[in-house]
Amino acid sequence: ASADPISIDTAVYDVLQKDQKLHTQPHNATNHKIINHNDYKFDSVAANFLFHCLHGGDDATELAVSNISKHLVHPTRGVFFGSTILGHELEEKQQRQQQEKQSEPSETESDGHALLVAAAWETHDLYNQWGIFGNRNDSYQGLERALKRHFQHVEIWKVGYCAVWKARLPNTETEQS
């Protein structure tokens, strides 16, 4: 079996290109027809644990959501759903913990929870240094704003330091501007 001809880097590049038409090679190597995704709209589009890998903070998320709503989600029956790690919230938590350690130890969190937060912070920090993540400035408010700008029906909630969402009905008025 051969690898998919589209790499993640290419897919991310395509999604971030404003008003870029998204193209992909079919999996069948004998069929050389290029599929123009602007001719197709999908009933279900997922972005699970993807946006925190984009570099550029809330601006990159806004652009990705805009392009997904314009080019991929069916206008009447499509659903865009996903999840992402909110780096901004982790950064704020780390800063608060540093300040608390300088004043006096906090007894509001259990030792187990504090260890989990420390492990999450270390992973987040290391992955951002390596360039795997680009989410230091990704915020819940920025994601919510992007989704509500580009979709008429949005449900979004936080689970720990992650955001989870589903959005329906691309906002065609916003998409034309």
Side-chain angles (χ1 to χ4, degrees):
S2 64
D4 187 337
I6 297 295
S7 70
I8 291 175
D9 289 339
T10 302
V12 168
Y13 176 81
D14 284 346
V15 168
L16 288 177
Q17 297 306 303
K18 187 171 174 90
D19 298 321
Q20 168 86 20
K21 292 186 178 187
L22 303 179
H23 298 280
T24 184
Q25 290 281 348
H27 288 272
N28 181 351
T30 60
N31 180 356
H32 296 294
K33 178 183 174 191
I34 300 292
I35 297 171
N36 181 344
H37 283 287
N38 289 318
D39 295 336
Y40 300 93
K41 300 291 182 178
F42 298 94
D43 290 347
S44 177
V45 177
N48 288 301
F49 292 106
L50 172 68
F51 285 172
H52 60 265
C53 296
L54 300 177
H55 295 261
D58 291 338
D59 291 340
T61 300
E62 169 83 29
L63 187 53
V65 169
S66 172
N67 283 322
I68 289 166
S69 70
K70 278 193 256 190
H71 302 296
L72 298 176
V73 179
H74 190 279
T76 60
R77 64 179 185 268
V79 176
F80 172 48
F81 64 95
S83 54
T84 192
I85 301 170
L86 301 167
H88 183 73
E89 276 76 0
L90 268 171
E91 296 276 337
E92 286 182 337
K93 177 70 172 181
Q94 180 66 12
Q95 289 172 0
R96 281 193 306 271
Q97 283 187 333
Q98 292 295 335
Q99 291 169 352
E100 288 172 4
K101 283 182 184 178
Q102 291 173 358
S103 58
E104 54 184 80
S106 172
E107 295 184 23
T108 59
E109 293 183 324
S110 69
D111 288 340
H113 184 262
L115 286 173
L116 285 174
V117 171
W121 166 254
E122 290 298 324
T123 303
H124 159 80
D125 190 46
L126 190 60
Y127 280 21
N128 271 279
Q129 287 176 32
W130 289 345
I132 296 168
F133 287 3
N135 67 334
R136 289 196 189 278
N137 297 311
D138 291 1
S139 70
Y140 179 86
Q141 293 81 7
L143 175 61
E144 181 178 41
R145 188 172 38 252
L147 289 167
K148 288 184 175 181
R149 177 173 179 180
H150 298 287
F151 289 91
Q152 294 174 41
H153 297 285
V154 173
E155 293 178 47
I156 183 171
W157 59 97
K158 283 176 72 172
V159 178
Y161 296 101
C162 296
V164 181
W165 72 87
K166 63 180 175 178
R168 297 184 310 105
L169 298 173
N171 189 350
T172 54
E173 292 173 11
T174 301
E175 302 314 323
Q176 293 173 0
S177 59

